[in-house]
Amino acid sequence: MAAITEGHAPTIAIEGARKQRGNLTQARIRWMVLAVVLGLGLVSGRLVQLGMAETDQTIEGQTRDAITATRPPILDRNGLEMAVDIRVPSLYAEPRRIIDVEEAVRELRTVLPDLDEDWLRDRLTGDQGFVWVKRELTPAIQEAVMRLGIPGIDFITESKRFYPGMNEAAHILGSTNVDNQGIAGIERHMDSESVALLQELGLARGNALTPVELSVDMRVQHVLHEQLTDAMTRYQAIAAAGVMLDIHTGEVIALASVPDFNPNEPATALVKDTFNRITSGIFEPGSIFKTVTMAGALDSGAVAITDQFDARYGIRFGRYTIDDFHGKHRILALPEVYKYSSNIGTIRIMQAMGKDNYRAFLSRMKFDERVQFELPEMRVPTVPDSFSEVGAATASFGHGLSVSPLHMVTAYAAFVNGGNYIAPTLYKRDIAEAETLYERVLRPETSAYLRYLMRLNAISTGGSGSQMNKAAQGYRVGGKTGTAEKVVDGRYSSNKVTNFFASAFPLDNPRYAMVIMVDEPKAENAQSGTTAGWNAGTLTGRVVQRVAPMLGIAPDFSEAVDQQIVPAEVRQLYPEGF
């Protein structure tokens, strides 16, 4: 027995070793299977977790509906597109769905190398539902990113505002931000009215909204903008601005202010001095305010169109004497006071009315309140609550108070439309609707007198509007110049002036009022000066000469047309005119 046991000992040892190795192999296999199962379980669990994750309906605080919302097209009065939406892809990430942040950063920067690596890594790390990576990209970039196939990286189609006219109507339209929300101009006003509500309700998502029709005529707008830009170069001015109204409806036909900005690049609006001088600038209006004084005094009955006023000597107030720029130093009839722009005569006319009555008339014309208008970029005028004797005197010729050009053009519209004040608007408005909004501020007879005075100033020898009339021959324009000295270091400077020309045309059958401003002009040549007739006046004439045919106004060179404007009492008293 012992021999047999000893002979089989090696065999038993071999069998034991095999069995031990088999057990070890099976254990390893079991551990590997367990590891694989655990790994698959973890991956499956993560996939289930990702699949069950609730989709975040906001992107950095903005709802998806708001981000993808469209805005209505903006059209001019003739149906020309002024602002439209275009669809653009924007790249976003869902950090909690990204498996390998480093790989995602590396791959994205192969297509978008301008993205900062650290910034991108920070954006893609975390448990956020949505973060922007880069907005408003091209379709080609979208396709390249999609080919990368990175989980948690996707695109959303946004609406981006596009303005075909670029700078031409910048101050009318304003602009939108990257979220397609109005931040200035009529775009902001639209949001405050109805567009924001439509977007909130989701009705503006992917839908074609009804176009918004403005009162602006882009043909006229183009001419005005072009001429204002030319004026800055021609007169070496620091700024220029203009606005034209339909005097019967209050519709703004054109409005421009330069320097301006490109609404397709909203950041350009932050450049210095690009503000809208028509609505958010207030200025001493200078002698264009003399028409206001004439209107108030004539309408009150305190003076008559045929009255005469002593302008032989300056008027003294304490230590100061107010005189005329180019004084005649004689007795002047009221029309002569106007056409020679006599400060002395204008003060006499205001004094006949009385300073308190004059101040009340300024309130009637709404010079002491903000104009009711759609643009949010507005300033409140600075008009004293009451006038001293000297304050009323300087105010009568446009000094010591500041108003916007929009105030002035609205007043001039009332002066020539029969005496009805109507707030201006950027939206289309027919005459029937306009008439329900009329506020009578002057008698029709006063309006007729003012039309005569404005035309007289253009056609008569010595009138401050004669240069304007040369540039707009045949279109029966009339108006008033204003040259306001700027305050420098607390004193009025004769070297820095703001010039205005306020006008209306055609004065035999008025349809439009306009105010043009040129800021700090230089003389165009050795013969011209820096007073308003040489720059704001001639600029007005050039604009009218270009736009009148577009507006259906034919030229008429007949002197008989001008004679129709002259009041009967003036023809009787001064048959040869002035």
Side-chain angles (χ1 to χ4, degrees), residues 71-84 161 172-173 186-187 189-190 193-195 209-218 249-253 373-374 424-430 433:
R71 300 178 67 83
I74 299 177
L75 311 179
D76 86 333
R77 65 185 305 110
N78 301 310
L80 185 69
E81 289 182 334
M82 298 176 69
V84 294
R161 208 60 160 163
I172 294 173
L173 295 167
I186 203 70
E187 293 277 27
H189 178 264
M190 285 164 51
E193 290 293 302
S194 58
V195 172
L209 299 179
T210 302
V212 173
E213 295 181 300
L214 298 187
S215 59
V216 177
D217 188 323
M218 279 304 292
T249 63
E251 294 171 298
V252 172
I253 304 301
F373 194 52
E374 292 86 8
T425 182
L426 279 169
Y427 293 115
K428 292 181 75 171
R429 179 195 284 161
D430 60 34
E433 179 186 358

Side-chain angles (χ1 to χ4, degrees), residues 134-145:
K134 192 161 187 179
R135 302 176 74 173
E136 298 178 355
L137 299 171
T138 65
I141 291 178
Q142 180 185 22
E143 184 179 352
V145 171

Side-chain angles (χ1 to χ4, degrees), residues 178-361:
V178 71
D179 293 318
N180 216 25
Q181 298 169 326
I183 57 175
I186 203 70
E187 293 277 27
R188 183 176 172 186
H189 178 264
M190 285 164 51
D191 277 8
S192 67
E193 290 293 302
S194 58
V195 172
L197 177 60
L198 291 174
Q199 292 177 346
E200 183 180 341
L201 296 175
L203 299 177
R205 187 178 183 182
N207 294 325
L209 299 179
T210 302
V212 173
E213 295 181 300
L214 298 187
S215 59
V216 177
D217 188 323
M218 279 304 292
R219 302 171 303 169
V220 179
Q221 180 72 21
H222 169 77
V223 171
L224 179 61
H225 183 268
E226 178 187 67
Q227 289 296 319
L228 292 172
T229 303
D230 172 73
M232 285 187 64
T233 302
R234 186 188 295 249
Y235 308 119
Q236 302 175 58
I238 65 170
V243 57
M244 182 186 294
L245 287 187
D246 183 310
I247 65 167
H248 299 296
T249 63
E251 294 171 298
V252 172
I253 304 301
L255 183 157
S257 175
V258 291
D260 52 20
F261 61 95
N262 183 354
N264 293 309
E265 301 173 19
T268 59
L270 302 177
V271 176
K272 184 181 178 182
D273 291 333
T274 56
F275 67 97
N276 182 358
R277 285 166 171 78
I278 296 298
T279 61
S280 57
I282 56 173
F283 310 89
E284 289 194 349
S287 291
I288 62 171
F289 215 72
K290 289 174 180 173
T291 312
V292 179
T293 304
M294 299 289 174
L298 286 167
D299 201 67
S300 70
V303 301
I305 192 73
T306 54
D307 283 354
Q308 296 185 333
F309 301 89
D310 188 352
R312 292 175 294 172
Y313 313 105
I315 301 177
R316 191 170 184 82
F317 294 95
R319 295 183 296 116
Y320 301 99
T321 299
I322 298 176
D323 209 336
D324 288 337
F325 182 59
H326 289 303
K328 298 299 177 181
H329 298 109
R330 62 176 174 82
I331 304 296
L332 299 176
L334 187 146
E336 291 180 306
V337 171
Y338 191 77
K339 82 168 187 176
Y340 294 133
S341 200
S342 169
N343 293 337
I344 301 170
T346 303
I347 293 171
R348 302 282 189 209
I349 290 170
M350 180 279 300
Q351 289 174 335
M353 182 183 183
K355 64 182 181 66
D356 293 335
N357 291 332
Y358 180 58
R359 179 60 185 82
F361 180 70

